[in-house]
Amino acid sequence: MTASRRGFLMGAAALSAAVVTPETVRAMSAMQATADWALATADLETDVAPRAMRLVHGRVPAGLAGTLFRNGPGKFRRPGGSATHWFDGDGLMRAFRISDGRATMEARFADTPKRRYEREIGAVVTPGFGTVGDPRARIGLNDDANAANTAVMVAGDEIWALWEGGSPTAMSPSDLSTRRFVTLRDDLKGMPFQAHPRYDPDGTIWNMGLNGGRAIIWRLNADRSLHTAQLVDLPRACFMHDFTATARHLILVLQPWVFDRPGMPYASQFAWRPELGTQVMVVDKADLSRRRIFELPAFSYFHLGDAWEDASGAIRFDVAAGKDVAFAIEGARVLVEQRGSVPGEHAVLKLVTLHADGRAEMTSSGVTAEFPKSDPRRAGLPRALTVHVAGERPDRPLPTGLATWNWDSGTSDYFNFGETQIVEEAVIVPKPGRSGEAEAWLVAPSINLPEGVTELHVFDAARVADGPVATWRADVALPAGFHGVWAA
């Protein structure tokens, strides 16, 4: 079925329902930070101009040059009302540029209609994932609520800030200025383009967008022009932040967080129904009508690793698997309030195997993990290593370390900074002229809490436990971001 905007019910209809006045008391309470990790969700009031970062540890690896672009929320609170969920802050694009052994840092807010209007009235009024919103919200189309705050992809001479429910936002890679919403075809304007595109070795890009029991499957050419956009029906309407892919298949993981009723905030539309179990839908890239469904015990998730197939036809992929959705509902709210205990158990890295005969199983690594990443040179191909953040504890809501897990040997290589740092997702940067899976650098920012600044670290993927081989330090702190991409 070829996709069209007319044939795909836009999420703006839901965004217009069930909004109430924000709780000013809660907003004021959030401004009175008490937690030692509060810098992770502190408001950035203005853009951060380019500035040099100071090398404070180690030596910069020869041949490491490029830019780490990262996206995430950077502004939550305004005098007349605030966002009440971590996923709803204004998008802030960061650029960490490394050249000739030196590093610079800069950050700029995405200039979206949502941000412009809320700055004008001095209040956050737009409903979101976990923020109820206010009758003053101006919502006509999806992109009126677009915060451009989740991920980033490189698109020729642009970078695209990605959100869950609407268009990519094109920005300049040189100065991070906002250009426009991206429309890949006129009749698809405003259609959801999610935060986790998957890449084929030939440069083809796959992505999806969700609305209820249907998904739009985007296929882009290597130059980021549209190849096709096609609608597929799903066996259940549920929340999906991510999907994964092998060389031949798309894999959609349908957790039992299923649509229950309309309303806002968005998360309130779903109910956790573990008795339904988790379904995995495998779709043939060459023919999206060819699908298989696998059944697994219930688990929740936000992020999946790249998938691969072996000679037997079995499909494998890893997932940061949780037991429920307590963090998504309440934990991310506590992070913005900057006080209290964050509910929910931390995710554990697990390997899903889908056998050719229809059986499905999960194997646990036993390690706490989020943001699983793998070698971009092996996207969709067999691999052993997964890179992930680590160190979260029941009394500690955010990562403090970085690790790799080897699925072949069942071993972890782990470095923990301790409670002085909040560690963000790493990107994998292959070493020039090398092809081994561990022959790469891991580049990751962190927030140094005692110093009150952002740092940038480089690890050797083969020796993570040795700690950073180089660390630069800025003179300001940026709030914690979500996802990033490396541009060489």
Side-chain angles (χ1 to χ4, degrees):
M1 185 188 332
T2 302
S4 70
R5 189 174 60 164
R6 181 181 298 275
F8 195 88
L9 178 63
M10 301 298 288
L15 289 175
S16 66
V19 293
V20 300
T21 304
E23 298 177 19
T24 305
V25 173
R26 174 177 288 179
M28 294 302 295
S29 174
M31 295 180 187
Q32 301 170 1
T34 58
D36 63 345
W37 41 259
L39 276 176
T41 58
D43 284 327
L44 192 67
E45 298 300 336
T46 62
D47 299 337
V48 175
R51 62 201 51 223
M53 302 183 76
R54 179 168 57 94
L55 185 67
V56 294
H57 169 76
R59 300 179 63 181
V60 182
L64 178 62
T67 302
L68 169 60
F69 294 105
R70 281 187 56 75
N71 194 5
K75 173 69 175 176
F76 304 92
R77 304 165 191 88
R78 297 191 184 278
S82 300
T84 57
H85 196 282
W86 193 21
F87 301 169
D88 295 332
D90 289 340
L92 178 73
M93 189 64 69
R94 297 94 159 149
F96 299 88
R97 307 184 194 273
I98 301 174
S99 179
D100 298 324
R102 297 181 175 86
T104 63
M105 182 186 82
E106 61 195 278
R108 194 164 183 176
F109 283 101
D111 186 25
T112 62
K114 170 190 180 299
R115 176 171 166 81
R116 290 196 299 271
Y117 175 57
E118 291 177 342
R119 289 183 67 183
E120 176 187 333
I121 66 173
V124 176
V125 296
T126 307
F129 184 89
T131 299
V132 173
D134 183 283
R136 292 171 290 174
R138 292 178 177 174
I139 304 294
L141 298 172
N142 284 10
D143 286 332
D144 293 331
N146 194 333
N149 68 356
T150 309
V152 55
M153 62 180 281
V154 177
D157 63 350
E158 297 179 327
I159 53 173
W160 291 356
L162 307 181
W163 185 56
E164 292 292 80
S167 307
T169 301
M171 303 178 76
S172 165
S174 59
D175 67 2
L176 307 184
S177 58
T178 300
R179 293 177 175 174
R180 71 191 190 287
F181 286 131
V182 176
T183 299
L184 291 166
R185 200 172 73 199
D186 286 347
D187 66 321
L188 299 176
K189 183 178 181 180
M191 293 280 276
F193 188 91
Q194 287 195 287
H196 291 287
R198 297 288 172 174
Y199 300 83
D200 285 348
D202 67 358
T204 297
I205 299 170
W206 298 85
N207 202 359
M208 69 172 186
L210 288 177
N211 189 62
R214 290 193 291 177
I216 179 172
I217 303 297
W218 299 94
R219 181 179 177 183
L220 277 57
N221 300 309
D223 65 359
R224 278 46 172 178
S225 62
L226 180 65
H227 182 283
T228 52
Q230 187 171 339
L231 294 177
V232 299
D233 292 323
L234 303 175
R236 66 172 60 156
C238 67
F239 175 76
M240 275 192 287
H241 172 71
D242 199 359
F243 74 106
T244 189
T246 70
R248 298 171 49 220
H249 294 99
L250 305 175
I251 294 101
L252 280 62
V253 180
L254 308 166
Q255 62 187 326
W257 197 17
V258 295
F259 180 79
D260 182 60
R261 61 186 183 278
M264 288 304 293
Y266 180 71
S268 71
Q269 299 181 19
F270 300 93
W272 178 244
R273 298 279 304 280
E275 68 276 11
L276 298 177
T278 293
Q279 294 180 315
V280 182
M281 186 168 83
V282 176
V283 182
D284 191 326
K285 287 180 174 178
D287 180 358
L288 300 186
S289 68
R290 297 180 60 187
R291 307 161 197 171
R292 289 179 291 163
I293 303 293
F294 295 81
E295 302 286 344
L296 285 166
F299 63 88
S300 64
Y301 78 98
F302 279 108
H303 301 112
L304 307 170
D306 282 317
W308 71 95
E309 297 179 51
D310 64 20
S312 73
I315 293 173
R316 292 181 168 84
F317 62 92
D318 39 21
V319 54
K323 290 186 176 181
D324 55 35
V325 293
F327 176 82
I329 299 296
E330 288 297 321
R333 177 187 58 78
V334 172
L335 287 183
V336 174
E337 290 188 351
Q338 299 181 314
R339 61 172 67 235
S341 176
V342 176
E345 295 187 26
H346 301 306
V348 173
L349 188 67
K350 297 185 178 182
L351 183 71
V352 175
T353 301
L354 309 176
H355 295 281
D357 63 7
R359 291 178 298 116
E361 59 187 5
M362 293 184 73
T363 303
S364 178
S365 69
V367 300
T368 299
E370 250 300 356
F371 302 128
K373 305 279 282 188
S374 58
D375 184 349
R377 298 167 294 183
R378 289 170 168 77
L381 304 176
R383 62 177 174 86
L385 286 183
T386 299
V387 178
H388 61 90
V389 297
E392 293 182 271
R393 306 193 314 259
D395 61 339
R396 187 77 185 176
L398 295 163
T400 58
L402 189 67
T404 62
W405 177 263
N406 189 309
W407 288 108
D408 287 346
S409 64
T411 57
S412 176
D413 189 16
Y414 174 37
F415 180 82
N416 195 336
F417 285 97
E419 295 187 2
T420 62
Q421 298 267 3
I422 294 170
V423 179
E424 302 183 44
E425 175 197 68
V427 295
I428 300 167
V429 182
K431 295 180 179 179
R434 304 289 186 88
S435 60
E437 197 171 352
E439 293 179 320
W441 296 296
L442 309 180
V443 182
S446 72
I447 304 172
N448 184 318
L449 298 174
E451 298 292 333
V453 296
T454 289
E455 295 183 340
L456 184 66
H457 309 282
V458 180
F459 289 78
D460 189 322
R463 294 182 293 275
V464 175
D466 292 347
V469 299
T471 296
W472 292 275
R473 181 175 294 169
D475 58 353
V476 296
L478 303 179
F482 291 147
H483 299 294
V485 65
W486 179 261

